[in-house]
């Protein structure tokens, strides 16, 4: 008879969640009244995209001017024909209740006093949204959300927070040669102790965020190495739409600024994009000017930078009163001032940078992947909400809505899942300590540079082919290294990044048209000869679980 994990010394949780961002922690908090939940974070709990989100969360609160239908319509337009309308409706219609849920977790959103003296949420407007519907906490919404959720999770006796714990590999029934398909647990590296061990769980949730660090320039923290996407792919899940990588148009361009984003809301509040000579160039690209969707703005900036051979363009909000700027953008104001840029009287130097992964692990309405018991939520998942292009501030909403969908589905099904048996220990008998750490740093750099140069904002068949050739070589080198040496966080990330790079290029090569965020000079128009379709990659072991 199999000894169960529950009766051995092996670590066990009912639900193991990889990720301490908005998606992972909101799910943990929803489950914890009933289940033992473990939450892994690769580094500190706050090191995640959620913490750095500035703009806010989209939700319809202005009943007089705005409506759910309008939010749906804007999302569908941004998604360029590839959004799943059912998923869009589900997500958008849950906006208000999720904002209220966050308030109950202690998040304070910025308010205003209406003409009738009533306190209301202050709503911002961002690119692609036809109304003011961005709920925010000044210009540091993610920080407010992240800190509140962490505080709640720390206080909960059913939640174990495991910082500096890196999920290395999923353990599926197929890997254990068990017949009943499903997930059994995962190998996890405690990077502070340098020890890998197995954690058994009935349910595993990948809430690992995006893959934007695959590019040289990114607005994301270094957690965004696509680990969940690579883990799910290796375990046998379908991955979709990886060609749709969103580049944020306005990342601060300054040698001392590390990935600092200048929020979309600066353009929403009247910021002008200008060339060094002061010309407002967006009029040449889109009638919505600076409020055009991100992909259009990012491509316009990329094109101006290449055309004029300049390092950056400028975002100018200095025509607004200084008090207005300080009140609306306190973080951006202070951060720029520290770098001697006074945005009250001078424009901000900006460049585009990789920002959001629209594709990811294919999930259904309940956040289920192709493997029973394995869920994916947040930026790691491809739910169908964003289609070919994410609309600003829809992503935090998606994290919250699909955490709740997963919560409901896990509650319905977990009772039928047996406690996993004791899992095999991680085998380190054939590896030694690395004597060539330089390989990791070098390959990391080469990979990200190739992706930036060849698979960036504007693509061609030839560039994609070049990038793929390099990725194949790097993948072989990294696999050899992985097989020989003891693992580290850096090596795990590099291994996942090269997998994700391959997935992005494969998707991009399959799409013979330009649509949404995918723009190729070889097929510069959308293919309207047939209905738009998702790019779905099938793993070798698809169907085996
Ligand atoms: C600068 C910036 C500004 C943004 N502004 C907005 C905004 O205003 N509105 C909006 O809606 N969206 C915004 N976004 C996007 C949004 O923040 C993200 O899409 C969202 O926060 C993703 O949440 P998540 O929980 O899926 O992932 P994250 O918040 O990125 O969390 C990922 C977690 O997974 C963990 N992890 C990763 N790999 C592993 C592993 N192998 N093992 C264990 N743990 C792992 C990480 O440690 C981390 O805890 C912004 C993003 C950035 C970078």
């Amino acid at each position: 008879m199999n000894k169960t994990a529950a009766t051995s010394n092996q670590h066990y949780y009912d639900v193991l969640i990889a990720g301490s961002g908005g998606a992972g922690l909101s799910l943990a908090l929803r489950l914890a009244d009933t289940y033992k939940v473990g939450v892994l974070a690769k580094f500190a709990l706050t090191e995640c995209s959620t913490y750095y989100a500035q703009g806010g969360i989209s939700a319809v609160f202005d009943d007089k001017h705005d409506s759910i239908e309008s939010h749906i319509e804007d999302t569908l337009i941004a998604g360029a024909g590839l959004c799943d309308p059912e998923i869009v409706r589900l997500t958008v219609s849950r906006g208000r209740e999720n904002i209220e849920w966050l308030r109950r977790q202690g998040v304070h959103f910025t308010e205003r006093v209406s003409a009738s003296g009533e306190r209301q949420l202050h709503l911002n407007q961002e690119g692609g949204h036809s109304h003011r519907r961005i709920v925010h906490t000044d210009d540091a919404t993610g920080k407010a959300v992240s800190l509140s959720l962490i505080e709640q999770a720390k206080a909960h006796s059913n939640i174990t927070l495991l910082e500096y714990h890196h999920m290395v590999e999923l353990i599926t029934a197929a890997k254990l040669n068990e017949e009943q398909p499903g997930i059994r647990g995962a190998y996890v590296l405690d990077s502070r102790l340098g020890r890998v061990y197995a954690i058994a769980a009935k349910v595993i949730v990948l809430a690992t965020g995006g893959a934007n660090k695959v590019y040289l320039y990114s607005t994301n923290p270094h957690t965004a190495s696509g680990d969940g996407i690579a883990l799910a792919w290796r375990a046998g899940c379908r991955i979709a739409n990886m060609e749709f990588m969103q580049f944020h148009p306005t990342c601060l361009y300054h040698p001392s600024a590390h990935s600092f984003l200048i929020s979309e809301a600066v353009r929403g509040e009247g910021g002008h994009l200008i060339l060094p000579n002061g010309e407002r160039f967006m009029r040449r690209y889109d009638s919505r000017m600076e409020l055009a969707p991100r992909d259009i703005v990012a491509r316009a900036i990329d094109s101006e930078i290449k055309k004029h051979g300049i390092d950056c363009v400028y975002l100018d909000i200095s025509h607004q009163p200084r008090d207005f700027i300080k009140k609306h953008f306190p973080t951006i104001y202070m951060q720029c001032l520290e770098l001697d840029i006074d945005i009250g009287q001078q424009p901000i130097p900006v460049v585009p940078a990789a920002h959001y992964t629209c594709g990811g692990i294919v999930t259904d309405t309940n956040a289920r992947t192709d493997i029973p018991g394995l869920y994916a939520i947040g930026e790691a998942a491809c739910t169908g909400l964003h289609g070919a292009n994410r609309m600003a501030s829809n992503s935090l909403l998606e994290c919250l809505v699909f955490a709740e969908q997963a919560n409901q589905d896990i509650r319905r099904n977990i009772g039928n899942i047996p406690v996993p048996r004791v899992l095999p220990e991680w085998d380190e008998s054939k590896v030694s300590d690395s004597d060539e750490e330089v390989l990791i740093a070098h390959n990391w750099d080469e990979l990200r540079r190739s992706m930036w140069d060849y698979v960036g904002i504007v693509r061609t068949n030839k560039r994609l082919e070049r990038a793929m050739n390099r990725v194949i070589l790097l993948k072989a080198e990294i696999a050899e290294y992985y097989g020989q040496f003891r693992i580290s966080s850096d090596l795990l990330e590099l291994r996942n990044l090269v997998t994700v790079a391959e997935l992005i290029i494969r998707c991009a090569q399959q799409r013979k048209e330009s649509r949404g965020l995918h723009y190729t000079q070889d097929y510069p128009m959308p293919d309207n000869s047939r209905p738009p379709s998702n790019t779905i990659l099938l793993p070798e072991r698809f169907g085996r679980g």
Side-chain angles (χ1 to χ4, degrees):
M1 194 179 83
N2 277 343
K3 208 163 84 164
T4 63
T7 58
S8 77
N9 289 328
Q10 192 153 71
H11 296 256
Y12 167 79
Y13 298 98
D14 298 322
V15 182
L16 178 65
I17 300 173
S20 65
L25 285 183
S26 59
L27 175 59
L29 286 165
R30 290 179 191 271
L31 286 166
D33 60 343
T34 319
Y35 304 106
K36 291 269 176 216
V37 183
V39 179
L40 309 175
K42 265 199 297 197
F43 307 108
L45 293 171
T46 48
E47 197 55 10
C48 56
S49 289
T50 300
Y51 184 86
Y52 294 97
Q54 296 177 349
I57 307 172
S58 57
V60 174
F61 273 87
D62 178 359
D63 293 330
K64 202 161 150 208
H65 303 100
D66 197 4
S67 66
I68 298 288
E69 294 309 317
S70 166
H71 191 176
I72 290 174
E73 196 188 332
D74 291 345
T75 304
L76 293 174
I77 291 171
L82 281 185
C83 297
D84 178 335
E86 218 179 285
I87 294 289
V88 174
R89 181 169 294 278
L90 168 85
T91 312
V92 163
S93 60
R94 304 275 173 85
R96 196 183 277 234
E97 69 191 58
N98 276 285
I99 296 295
E100 295 305 343
W101 183 84
L102 282 176
R103 289 172 119 179
R104 290 198 295 280
Q105 309 309 310
V107 182
H108 294 290
F109 292 109
T110 303
E111 293 180 337
R112 65 187 271 270
V113 180
S114 72
S116 58
E118 203 188 330
R119 287 192 81 77
Q120 294 175 336
L121 287 170
H122 180 269
L123 303 172
N124 274 337
Q125 187 165 7
E126 292 185 340
H129 290 272
S130 51
H131 295 283
R132 286 188 170 262
R133 61 168 80 101
I134 314 301
V135 180
H136 63 105
T137 307
D138 296 329
D139 61 350
T141 311
K143 185 174 172 186
V145 169
S146 196
L147 293 180
S148 294
L149 296 183
I150 289 171
E151 194 183 322
Q152 296 293 327
K154 278 185 173 165
H156 211 298
S157 58
N158 262 354
I159 299 179
T160 306
L161 296 169
L162 297 158
E163 283 183 301
Y164 299 94
H165 278 65
H166 199 133
M167 188 177 280
V168 176
E169 212 65 276
L170 292 164
I171 307 173
T172 58
K175 281 187 191 153
L176 300 175
N177 291 320
E178 289 181 11
E179 265 186 22
Q180 188 70 30
I183 198 79
R184 301 292 184 260
Y187 291 112
V188 171
L189 167 70
D190 176 342
S191 57
R192 284 191 288 205
L193 297 179
R195 189 174 72 94
V196 180
Y197 64 98
I199 299 183
K202 285 186 174 186
V203 167
I204 292 193
V205 184
L206 298 170
T208 45
N212 306 292
K213 278 288 161 189
V214 76
Y215 288 100
L216 189 59
Y217 301 113
S218 168
T219 62
N220 283 211
H222 58 128
T223 48
S225 48
D227 293 5
I229 297 170
L231 285 164
W233 174 250
R234 287 197 292 270
C237 294
R238 285 170 303 157
I239 304 294
N241 289 357
M242 292 299 290
E243 69 274 37
F244 300 120
M245 301 296 289
Q246 186 171 63
F247 290 81
H248 195 287
T250 55
C251 191
L252 179 61
Y253 179 72
H254 191 282
S256 315
H258 179 68
S259 305
F260 187 71
L261 183 88
I262 307 298
S263 160
E264 192 104 13
V266 175
R267 283 181 283 131
E269 294 298 339
H272 297 165
L273 280 165
I274 54 172
L275 293 172
N277 66 7
E279 187 204 340
R280 223 176 136 187
F281 57 86
M282 275 310 297
R283 69 178 85 247
R284 284 190 266 116
Y285 293 89
D286 195 287
S287 58
R288 290 164 288 186
M289 306 277 284
E290 282 83 2
L291 288 180
R294 281 182 180 168
D295 58 318
I296 295 177
V297 181
R299 246 188 341 262
I301 297 176
D302 188 60
S303 157
E304 291 296 318
I305 287 177
K306 290 197 171 116
K307 189 159 82 187
H308 298 284
I310 48 182
D311 291 329
C312 62
V313 297
Y314 295 87
L315 180 57
D316 191 8
I317 185 86
S318 63
H319 48 277
Q320 294 283 20
R322 184 178 293 274
D323 283 349
F324 174 93
I325 297 172
K326 280 167 87 171
K327 183 162 172 276
H328 282 77
F329 310 112
T331 313
I332 296 172
Y333 182 84
M334 285 315 296
Q335 174 81 22
C336 288
L337 209 55
E338 275 170 28
L339 298 167
D340 285 335
I341 304 166
D342 177 359
I343 69 173
Q345 60 175 23
Q346 68 190 106
I348 313 165
V350 290
V351 285
H355 185 57
Y356 187 82
T357 309
C358 290
I361 307 160
V362 174
T363 53
D364 68 9
T365 320
N366 293 313
R368 288 183 292 210
T369 70
D370 293 324
I371 297 177
L374 181 67
Y375 293 72
I377 53 175
E379 196 170 332
C382 183
T383 61
L385 173 68
H386 307 301
N389 191 0
R390 172 193 75 128
M391 196 166 64
S393 289
N394 268 356
S395 39
L396 283 171
L397 176 63
E398 184 189 40
C399 289
L400 299 164
V401 170
F402 282 88
E404 173 57 4
Q405 291 298 101
N407 169 43
Q408 296 294 338
D409 199 69
I410 291 167
R411 284 175 187 279
R412 278 193 295 271
N413 294 303
I414 197 166
N416 303 323
I417 305 175
V419 177
R421 68 176 175 86
V422 174
L423 302 171
E425 294 296 319
W426 179 252
D427 182 6
E428 281 201 328
S429 58
K430 296 190 188 73
V431 295
S432 58
D433 283 327
S434 160
D435 56 358
E436 266 193 286
E437 290 288 335
V438 66
L439 180 135
I440 297 181
H442 180 86
N443 283 359
W444 180 280
D445 193 53
E446 187 180 339
L447 177 68
R448 296 176 68 211
R449 196 170 282 279
S450 300
M451 289 298 286
W452 184 258
D453 288 342
Y454 300 137
V455 199
I457 298 174
V458 176
R459 299 162 182 173
T460 65
N461 286 343
K462 207 169 232 147
R463 288 181 198 167
L464 293 178
E465 200 184 310
R466 252 180 235 154
M468 186 57 106
N469 290 340
R470 276 160 182 78
V471 161
I472 289 168
L473 289 175
L474 287 169
K475 202 175 158 193
E477 263 183 31
I478 294 163
E480 192 187 328
Y481 192 90
Y482 186 80
Q484 286 175 355
F485 299 114
R486 219 157 256 132
I487 57 175
S488 63
S489 276
D490 282 349
L491 176 56
L492 291 175
E493 287 186 345
L494 177 64
R495 180 173 177 247
N496 291 329
L497 278 177
V498 81
T499 301
V500 164
E502 186 187 348
L503 298 175
I504 296 172
I505 301 168
R506 279 179 59 184
C507 284
Q509 286 179 324
Q510 283 189 26
R511 187 165 292 282
K512 307 286 186 214
E513 62 168 350
S514 289
R515 180 177 296 278
L517 297 165
H518 174 71
Y519 182 78
T520 162
Q521 287 175 348
D522 292 303
Y523 316 98
M525 300 303 288
D527 178 359
N528 292 325
S529 66
R530 52 192 174 152
S533 61
N534 294 308
T535 314
I536 299 179
L537 300 178
L538 301 179
E540 273 170 39
R541 297 169 357 112
F542 181 60
R544 282 182 56 199

